[in-house]
Amino acid sequence: MEENISEKREKEAPETNAKEPVSEESLLNGEKRERPEKRDRNEDSISIKASSESNSLQDMSSLKTNKRKRLSQDRVGQLEDLIALDDKDASSWLKLIMEYKDKNKIEEARSVYERFLKVFPTAAQQWIDYADMELTNNEFIRVETIFSRCLRSVLSVDLWKFYLDYIRRVNNVSTGGAQARSVISQAYEFVLAHVGIDKDCGSIWSDYINFIKTAEIIFSHILFLK
């Protein structure tokens, strides 16, 4: 009877899934297995960085290779390569513009001016040169479009003087009479409202005063003749 009870207790006793204790050596081995993984990740990061730098160097090398392939007389291509390497290279931009202007390739020069002014939007002298190129070719609508784009954002006295010269050129007082004088007078007031306090604006004030005096003399002469 006792033997049966003992056997029954042994059968009913819960089985234990005892795990073997983790030895210090196992932990150390485990740490040793994790460390190579960390090194692998670092190596991957270094590999990616090296690959990126390699691609960048290849791009630069490609540009330099293309530059070497240019013929010696391909001045435009050489300048375009320099601009591709550094779009802030103003000297190369201006040389490229002159290259086209010297060959009377106005459309190409116009295109380069547009590209240049996207990089240097406040370059007053280049706005003046651009407008002057169009004026030389009697492209009056293009000239006025250029003025509408740059005058308010580029407060350069030289640029505004060029604008006044243009207004006086297309509004001849001798042939336009009172209407031409009115347009010119309004242009002076417009200019002085924007750059009149500039220290370099003295000549514009003097021109405006002389213009008013001349207009008064002409008006008095007309009245006398009547």
Side-chain angles (χ1 to χ4, degrees):
M1 183 70 176
E2 290 178 358
E3 290 178 358
N4 291 336
I5 293 171
S6 176
E7 290 175 1
K8 187 176 181 180
R9 285 177 179 173
E10 288 176 0
K11 290 179 180 180
E12 291 177 353
E15 295 181 359
T16 58
N17 295 324
K19 295 182 180 179
E20 294 182 2
V22 179
S23 67
E24 183 178 352
E25 183 180 357
S26 297
L27 290 173
L28 290 173
N29 289 336
E31 290 179 358
K32 288 178 182 178
R33 284 194 297 271
E34 291 175 1
R35 284 174 184 168
E37 292 179 2
K38 292 181 180 179
R39 284 200 299 271
D40 289 344
R41 285 195 292 271
N42 290 335
E43 288 172 0
D44 289 343
S45 176
I46 293 169
S47 176
I48 291 170
K49 183 177 179 181
S51 176
S52 176
E53 291 176 352
S54 176
N55 290 336
S56 178
L57 289 172
Q58 286 176 1
D59 291 341
M60 293 289 288
S61 176
S62 176
L63 284 170
K64 290 178 180 178
T65 300
N66 289 337
K67 182 181 176 183
R68 286 197 296 270
K69 289 180 180 178
R70 300 284 189 187
L71 297 175
S72 59
Q73 63 268 30
D74 185 9
R75 183 63 175 157
V76 168
Q78 292 171 2
L79 291 169
E80 287 285 12
D81 286 342
L82 291 173
I83 292 168
L85 285 170
D86 180 12
D87 67 351
K88 302 294 184 183
D89 182 0
S91 176
S92 294
W93 279 109
L94 299 181
K95 288 176 182 177
L96 182 58
I97 290 170
M98 288 306 301
E99 191 72 21
Y100 283 127
K101 289 173 74 172
D102 289 345
K103 295 177 181 178
N104 202 32
K105 294 185 176 182
I106 303 304
E107 190 62 40
E108 289 83 351
R110 184 181 293 132
S111 175
V112 179
Y113 267 123
E114 289 293 335
R115 289 164 55 200
F116 172 87
L117 291 167
K118 286 180 181 178
V119 181
F120 303 97
T122 59
Q125 187 57 52
Q126 279 60 58
W127 282 111
I128 293 171
D129 293 343
Y130 188 11
D132 188 50
M133 181 188 78
E134 300 292 13
L135 188 57
T136 301
N137 290 279
N138 296 319
E139 295 283 356
F140 297 106
I141 294 176
R142 289 184 182 275
V143 174
E144 291 172 11
T145 299
I146 290 171
F147 284 138
S148 69
R149 291 169 57 192
C150 67
L151 279 177
R152 295 178 185 275
S153 58
V154 185
L155 299 180
S156 161
V157 172
D158 289 336
L159 177 60
W160 286 81
K161 282 181 179 179
F162 186 82
Y163 165 73
L164 280 173
D165 290 342
Y166 169 76
I167 294 297
R168 297 191 69 161
R169 173 176 172 174
V170 297
N171 293 276
N172 192 318
V173 175
S174 300
T175 57
Q179 183 177 355
R181 284 193 296 274
S182 176
V183 171
I184 294 171
S185 180
Q186 289 175 22
Y188 270 111
E189 291 173 4
F190 175 63
V191 171
L192 292 170
H194 285 84
V195 294
I197 61 173
D198 193 290
K199 63 181 179 61
D200 296 323
C201 199
S203 60
I204 296 179
W205 281 104
S206 297
D207 289 344
Y208 186 33
I209 292 170
N210 290 331
F211 171 77
I212 293 172
K213 288 180 178 179
T214 303
E216 289 175 349
I217 292 171
I218 293 172
F219 183 69
S220 298
H221 183 65
I222 292 172
L223 289 177
F224 176 77
L225 292 176
K226 289 182 178 180

